[in-house]
Amino acid sequence: MSQGDRLLAQGEALTRFRVSVAKEERFAEFYTGELFDEGIRHASGPQDRSFCRRVFCHTHAQRVVDASMALPLPYIAVSDADDIVSFSGFRSLPFHVQRWLATDLMAPQDGEYAFRLGTCGGVRLWCSANLAACFTPLTRNEMQFLDIRLTLHKGKNSVLIHLDELFERDTFCALKMVYLDEKPLRVGTIKGQQLAPISIPQAPDGERLLMLMAAREYGPQVEALLYSLLKQASAREEGSVFSVLVLLQLWNQYHGDAFPDAMWRRVKSTLLGYRYWHDEWGCDVMDFWREDNAVAFHTAQYLAGQYFPDARFIASSRYGYQQLQLGKARLEGIYA
């Protein structure tokens, strides 16, 4: 053992890991199986798992992950004051995010050594190339724990970890690994560049678009802002309901003006294709439950139904006049 190795005593956590960059993939972008899931119509509140997460758990929790496909580990991840190594962040669309971590444990003798493994997400752990744990609770933003025993040989043992999670809005993705046995271990020295947090840019300025339209300052900037709003709404990004409200205001005040007919047809199709509440079909991570969001969704549903009373809305299969009535009832329920 080198002089730089750190002693790991009972009750202490591993606090430094070699770590990869994140591998991020859009999840369920073209998924259509929601038509067969009745649970989406019976969700009673924010405590229910989103349909998107139910799909993710079904498809990813027990899949086989190949350790030979591990990404390079050029960075260092350091735990916080609670001994938690966190890779949390915000995504306005559902993303499957994966990272690889590694460390070295030095055992004084051959034997089994106990650890408590905690995760927000799913963890797979290999010890000296052998799969030692697969713990994939995938409970959003709620850390779960599992006691495991690692078979270590005298001397150096390489530990490789795969951590993944479905990111939906603000997501806590984290790892905690606490040593439980009395016999002290040593942890290999880890040096390198600490991983910097990634900043995720947020939603376009709808108010800016409305101000430019009111001033009749048409041009490339206005078109770019409108395209951005349409993209948000079409993808059903988190917070896109406020973009929908801007699109509805544009339709009401400026329909037929400033933009070609093809663009206005796209605005209409986007509004008819939007998901106005959780009981409508869709696989996304929009937050319907926060009070200001709920008011925005109900208002958008009411206005869209008012502007297109005879049109069929795709996500609900309702006609516009039905959307209007339902939105009105929901708003009255909030303000009653």
Side-chain angles (χ1 to χ4, degrees):
M1 300 179 189
S2 72
Q3 294 299 314
D5 295 340
R6 182 177 73 85
L7 183 68
L8 185 67
Q10 185 180 41
E12 292 184 336
L14 296 171
T15 58
R16 293 172 68 88
F17 294 87
R18 302 188 300 278
V19 64
S20 73
V21 296
K23 179 181 179 182
E24 301 193 13
E25 300 172 299
R26 176 76 184 277
F27 181 74
E29 183 174 7
F30 303 109
Y31 188 80
T32 58
E34 63 268 21
L35 294 177
F36 304 100
D37 189 283
E38 286 300 320
I40 194 172
R41 293 189 174 273
H42 303 296
S44 59
Q47 72 277 7
D48 292 289
R49 290 188 303 171
S50 68
F51 174 72
C52 198
R53 180 163 292 271
R54 294 202 298 275
V55 173
F56 182 75
C57 291
H58 178 73
T59 57
H60 283 62
Q62 299 304 318
R63 78 190 193 283
V64 175
V65 174
D66 187 352
S68 68
M69 301 301 290
L71 298 175
L73 306 164
Y75 297 103
I76 303 300
V78 180
S79 68
D80 61 18
D82 296 318
D83 295 328
I84 294 173
V85 179
S86 175
F87 303 102
S88 306
F90 177 87
R91 302 294 187 281
S92 59
L93 293 167
F95 272 88
H96 177 208
V97 181
Q98 307 176 67
R99 289 187 189 271
W100 293 87
L101 303 91
T103 191
D104 296 321
L105 298 176
M106 271 63 73
Q109 61 190 50
D110 291 354
E112 289 192 344
Y113 296 79
F115 289 83
R116 178 159 295 152
L117 194 61
T119 182
C120 281
V123 169
R124 293 166 177 84
L125 184 149
W126 293 262
C127 187
S128 299
N130 297 312
L131 183 64
C134 179
F135 182 45
T136 56
L138 300 174
T139 49
R140 180 176 182 269
N141 293 352
E142 182 179 348
M143 183 164 279
Q144 304 291 336
F145 294 90
L146 176 70
D147 288 351
I148 62 173
R149 301 191 68 83
L150 299 184
T151 300
L152 303 181
H153 302 291
K154 182 178 180 179
K156 180 179 177 179
N157 297 263
S158 298
V159 175
L160 178 67
I161 296 172
H162 176 264
L163 175 67
D164 69 341
E165 176 61 300
L166 176 68
F167 273 63
E168 42 175 326
R169 308 185 303 277
D170 291 302
T171 302
F172 184 38
C173 179
L175 173 74
K176 185 173 184 177
M177 191 169 175
V178 179
Y179 183 51
L180 301 180
D181 268 341
E182 295 182 0
K183 294 173 291 186
L185 293 176
R186 288 191 176 271
V187 184
T189 302
I190 297 178
K191 297 180 179 180
Q193 180 181 355
Q194 187 167 341
L195 187 69
I198 298 175
S199 177
I200 305 298
Q202 299 302 309
D205 190 354
E207 291 184 5
R208 176 63 178 162
L209 174 57
L210 292 174
M211 288 173 59
L212 292 172
M213 292 290 290
R216 306 189 72 82
E217 296 181 13
Y218 307 143
Q221 184 181 9
V222 167
E223 291 186 5
L225 287 169
L226 179 56
Y227 274 116
S228 184
L229 292 176
L230 289 168
K231 181 181 177 181
Q232 272 201 334
S234 297
R236 299 176 181 175
E237 295 185 12
E238 163 59 13
S240 61
V241 66
F242 299 101
S243 299
V244 167
L245 288 171
V246 174
L247 293 175
L248 287 164
Q249 187 170 345
L250 286 176
W251 183 271
N252 183 46
Q253 295 182 359
Y254 303 104
H255 177 220
D257 191 13
F259 304 110
D261 289 343
M263 181 63 77
W264 286 114
R265 287 196 296 271
R266 182 174 173 184
V267 172
K268 179 178 179 180
S269 65
T270 298
L271 293 171
L272 294 180
Y274 194 66
R275 186 182 181 207
Y276 289 91
W277 195 237
H278 69 87
D279 62 345
E280 301 182 4
W281 302 124
C283 191
D284 53 66
V285 297
M286 293 191 295
D287 183 0
F288 298 97
W289 306 104
R290 201 171 66 235
E291 184 175 0
D292 55 344
N293 280 14
V295 171
F297 276 107
H298 300 335
T299 301
Q301 184 180 36
Y302 174 83
L303 292 175
Q306 179 181 350
Y307 298 158
F308 309 107
D310 300 320
R312 176 82 76 168
F313 284 68
I314 296 173
S316 65
S317 296
R318 302 186 187 104
Y319 286 102
Y321 70 88
Q322 295 172 310
Q323 293 285 69
L324 183 152
Q325 294 169 354
L326 191 53
K328 181 174 183 291
R330 286 169 171 167
L331 285 170
E332 290 174 346
I334 288 178
Y335 293 113

